[in-house]
């Protein structure tokens, strides 16, 4: 039988905005469960640009995206959110004035209100169709680089022709023992300046260009990669001894099941009332990149403000009949972590 868990607010999306919503709800005595399709929190910050500095977070002249996520998790921690990571939210059904959120593993979360902070939708990497690739994922095959240092001294095969592939080839060439760059054609779709640097590093022997080749299969044992086999369109193969394969074929972004939740949408975004962040069904709220209203800016700081507004609008649903006295955090304080 499917497991059922009860909470006050279910937050769909553990990106920066969803994480801050945990804090804002917590300050108003509302417990949260947070679901994310990725197996880590942080949304776009963690998946797309963890080591890039962000310059427009108030109070931080510059902060790396991963560090910001760390701070947001720390800020949410005193409120003991329950995370369901690596789980996609599939269904949303109304049951006696509460919502039932169904996850892809059969878990059901019952909540009084739902905050959709799903960014651009559930996203995951476009995976190359290599037989048995799953066995190597997380040990020898990585779709994103969490820490550049993890690749120090390693033999790395990078596949792809866009900005991510080229940028990581340039970056990892500084720490890896060997970098192979696989692309099926000589032309790259990356920033021209980066391509020029790539070519210079290839000339200097710091990166080996394996072009025009495509990934063919993997070899290794027990999830440990030993070589990546690549092939031309004519079937001519090369065996590259390797410790890690990094395929960068873009992210598949998918509004997915949310599109079928009977919410008013506007070009793939959820239309909300900007005063409350309420969506078109009572008890459902949307904040961050997925929400739209006139003048909406897709910035993290705007999402933070929407999280505060949504939490205040949800309070009377979770605490009916209890007046909400607006208080500053300086007055109220936060629970010990
Ligand atoms: C390269 C780059 C640089 C950027 N630089 C800046 C900057 O300098 N300043 C700035 O303010 N913004 C910047 N942004 C934009 C910023 O990252 C986004 O505005 C921000 O991430 C939005 O946060 P979010 O929490 O709304 O959504 P996201 O970060 O997109 O997170 C949403 C999460 O919801 C999950 N999800 C979606 N659907 C489901 C589902 N059905 N089930 C389970 N989980 C689901 C996704 O997996 C994802 O983890 C940048 C973006 C990029 C790509």
């Amino acid at each position: 039988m499917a497991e059922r868990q009860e909470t006050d607010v279910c937050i769909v999306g553990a990106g920066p905005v969803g994480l801050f919503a945990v804090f804002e709800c917590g300050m108003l005595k509302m417990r949260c469960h947070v679901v994310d399709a990725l197996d880590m929190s942080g949304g776009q910050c963690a998946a797309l640009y963890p080591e890039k500095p962000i310059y427009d977070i108030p109070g931080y002249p510059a902060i790396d995206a991963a560090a910001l996520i760390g701070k947001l998790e720390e800020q949410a921690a005193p409120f003991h959110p329950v995370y369901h990571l690596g789980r996609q939210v599939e269904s949303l059904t109304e049951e006696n004035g509460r919502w039932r959120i169904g996850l892809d593993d059969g878990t059901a979360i019952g909540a009084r209100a739902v905050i959709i902070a799903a960014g651009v939708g559930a996203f995951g990497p476009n995976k190359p169709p290599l037989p048995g690739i799953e066995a190597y994922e997380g040990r020898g095959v990585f779709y994103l680089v969490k820490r550049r240092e993890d690749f120090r001294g390693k033999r790395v095969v990078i596949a792809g022709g866009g900005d991510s592939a080229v940028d990581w080839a340039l970056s990892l060439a500084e720490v890896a023992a060997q970098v192979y760059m696989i692309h099926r054609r000589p032309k790259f779709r990356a920033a021209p300046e980066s391509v020029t640097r790539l070519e210079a590093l290839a000339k200097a022997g710091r990166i080996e260009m394996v072009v025009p080749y495509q990934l063919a299969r993997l070899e290794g044992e027990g999830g440990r990669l030993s070589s990546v086999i690549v092939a031309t369109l004519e079937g001519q193969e090369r065996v590259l001894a390797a410790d890690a394969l990094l395929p960068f074929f873009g992210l598949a972004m998918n509004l997915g099941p949310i599109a079928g939740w009977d919410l008013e949408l506007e070009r793939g975004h959820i239309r909300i009332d900007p005063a409350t962040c309420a969506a078109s069904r009572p008890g459902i709220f949307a904040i961050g990149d997925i929400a739209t209203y006139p003048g909406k800016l897709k910035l993290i700081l705007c999402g933070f403000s929407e999280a505060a507004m949504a939490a205040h609008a949800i309070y009377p649903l979770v605490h009916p009949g209890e007046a909400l006295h607006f208080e500053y955090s300086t007055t109220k304080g936060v629970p010990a972590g």
Side-chain angles (χ1 to χ4, degrees):
M1 207 172 100
E3 191 192 345
R4 169 132 183 171
Q5 305 181 15
E6 298 297 328
T7 189
D8 296 324
V9 181
C10 179
I11 300 172
V12 181
V17 177
L19 290 175
F20 192 62
V22 173
F23 173 81
E24 285 295 332
C25 288
M27 290 295 276
L28 299 183
K29 297 182 286 169
M30 299 188 291
R31 294 165 303 135
C32 296
H33 279 226
V34 188
V35 187
D36 204 296
L38 293 175
D39 60 6
M40 61 184 173
S41 58
Q44 294 172 52
C45 294
L48 301 182
Y49 58 106
E51 293 187 335
K52 279 198 174 152
I54 307 177
Y55 300 101
D56 55 356
I57 301 298
Y60 289 101
I63 181 166
D64 283 0
L68 173 66
I69 296 306
K71 296 266 175 216
L72 288 165
E73 285 170 341
E74 191 183 322
Q75 202 168 14
F79 302 102
H80 306 293
V82 178
Y83 291 101
H84 303 261
L85 299 178
R87 294 275 159 262
Q88 166 130 212
V89 165
E90 291 200 324
S91 61
L92 176 75
T93 39
E94 203 174 354
E95 279 177 1
N96 311 320
R98 286 177 68 80
W99 290 99
R100 180 187 181 283
I101 299 97
L103 312 191
D104 57 0
D105 66 345
T107 303
I109 301 170
R112 184 64 192 86
V114 178
I115 296 181
I116 305 175
V120 280
F123 54 73
N126 286 321
K127 300 182 180 186
L130 301 177
I133 190 167
E134 297 77 19
Y136 297 98
E137 287 172 351
R139 290 191 69 186
V141 173
F142 305 91
Y143 301 104
L144 58 98
V145 177
K146 283 189 194 158
R147 271 181 6 113
R148 188 172 89 129
E149 277 305 304
D150 294 345
F151 299 92
R152 183 171 289 280
K154 301 270 168 70
R155 297 162 302 171
V156 181
V157 176
I158 296 177
D163 281 306
S164 296
V166 173
D167 287 353
W168 280 118
L170 298 176
S171 175
L172 293 179
E174 292 170 15
V175 295
Q178 169 85 49
V179 174
Y180 296 103
M181 184 81 192
I182 317 297
H183 190 35
R184 64 196 151 101
R185 54 173 170 256
K187 209 165 159 39
F188 285 82
R189 285 172 289 104
E193 192 189 296
S194 308
V195 176
T196 308
R197 284 181 56 210
L198 179 74
E199 285 162 356
L201 285 180
K203 225 181 212 166
R206 303 256 306 277
I207 293 175
E208 185 174 338
M209 306 296 280
V210 186
V211 178
Y213 277 86
Q214 300 192 57
L215 298 173
R217 53 182 198 281
L218 306 175
E219 276 177 6
E221 242 187 76
R224 197 172 289 279
L225 193 65
S226 57
S227 42
V228 175
I229 291 94
V230 293
T232 60
L233 281 181
E234 293 74 37
Q236 195 182 338
E237 290 195 348
R238 265 193 74 181
V239 179
L240 309 173
D243 304 300
L245 167 66
L246 280 68
F248 289 116
F249 297 134
L251 286 171
M253 308 208 180
N254 180 11
L255 197 55
I258 297 173
W261 290 355
D262 225 2
L263 298 165
E264 217 173 292
L265 299 179
E266 190 179 317
R267 277 184 277 145
H269 295 80
I270 300 174
R271 199 200 295 239
I272 58 162
D273 172 355
T276 58
C277 298
S280 57
R281 297 182 74 181
I284 308 293
F285 296 76
I287 60 177
D289 276 15
I290 200 160
T292 192
Y293 50 86
K296 164 79 185 181
L297 290 178
K298 281 192 184 181
L299 286 175
I300 296 168
L301 72 94
C302 297
F304 288 168
S305 146
E306 291 156 11
M309 285 192 296
H312 279 77
I314 291 170
Y315 182 87
L317 303 177
V318 173
H319 302 289
E322 281 183 40
L324 170 57
H325 299 291
F326 180 86
E327 273 182 310
Y328 293 122
S329 68
T330 41
T331 317
K332 220 187 264 191
V334 293

